[in-house]
Amino acid sequence: MKTFNDLEFKPHPSGIGGIVSRIKFDNGYGASVVQGPHTYGGEDGLYELAVLNNNGDLIYDTPVTSDVEGYLNEDDVTKLLEQIQKL
């Protein structure tokens, strides 16, 4: 199982600061994890996660979540990554 420690963060491409990591899983799903000044919890050092489909697009209709999840610490991110991998 992939965890928070497997994420490779890069500067967010928007140029407004922050970091982003995208990871894809064997089941075709993936996740986008971001932290920055305009993310839910970013100013507090927390993360935001969205589920991705096999094309890398955000999706909102999985059993994991129906929205972007914010205000996540590293353990919270790992728990959601594990749930996505089990879809």
Side-chain angles (χ1 to χ4, degrees):
M1 282 277 162
K2 301 285 186 182
T3 69
F4 180 88
N5 292 328
D6 294 301
L7 298 174
E8 297 179 17
F9 287 95
K10 298 178 180 178
H12 197 286
S14 67
I16 58 173
I19 55 176
V20 61
S21 178
R22 286 181 163 235
I23 190 167
K24 189 168 185 174
F25 304 118
D26 292 337
N27 63 0
Y29 289 97
S32 172
V33 180
V34 296
Q35 180 190 65
H38 301 289
T39 62
Y40 297 117
E43 291 184 0
D44 297 320
L46 299 173
Y47 298 88
E48 181 181 287
L49 180 146
V51 179
L52 305 175
N53 66 15
N54 60 355
N55 293 323
D57 299 321
L58 273 65
I59 54 174
Y60 302 99
D61 59 352
T62 70
V64 175
T65 181
S66 60
D67 201 350
V68 172
E69 294 290 320
Y71 303 97
L72 305 171
N73 63 33
E74 293 177 9
D75 289 337
D76 297 329
V77 171
T78 290
K79 289 175 187 172
L80 288 172
L81 292 177
E82 289 173 351
Q83 290 178 34
I84 296 166
Q85 292 171 84
K86 292 177 182 176
L87 289 174

